[in-house]
Amino acid sequence: ARVSYDLTGDGTWDRIETYGYFATDPVPGNETYTSQGRLAAEDGTLGDLDDGTVRVEIWSALGTATPTVTTGPDSTLTLPFDG
């Protein structure tokens, strides 16, 4: 997984975080993942998010299957910013 931050909305990625492999299982139903202890690479510095954009990317680390992510009321992504 990779999380990229364009802090000001100018089209430049100010911070990019790439996380290590998240093992999944083939069982239907919800799975929970956290970034704790999985940061594999980082570039740039976090700052205030002011009219910016956050992009989250995932890909299959094993095989060629396309990962599926479902969003909805039970899906959350917690960003490191205060309101």
Side-chain angles (χ1 to χ4, degrees):
R2 181 179 303 125
V3 183
S4 302
Y5 303 88
D6 172 359
L7 299 173
T8 60
D10 67 357
T12 301
W13 298 111
D14 302 294
R15 168 82 173 176
I16 300 172
E17 301 170 346
T18 304
Y19 292 89
Y21 175 74
F22 289 87
T24 60
D25 63 52
V27 179
N30 295 337
E31 295 186 50
T32 301
Y33 302 95
T34 66
S35 61
Q36 184 122 7
R38 294 184 175 271
L39 187 61
E42 60 184 309
D43 184 41
T45 304
L46 278 176
D48 292 336
L49 184 63
D50 186 11
D51 293 325
T53 300
V54 177
R55 177 175 65 187
V56 177
E57 302 168 86
I58 61 166
W59 58 89
S60 180
L62 301 173
T64 58
T66 301
T68 301
V69 175
T70 303
T71 60
D74 294 331
S75 298
T76 61
L77 174 64
T78 304
L79 299 174
F81 299 98
D82 295 349

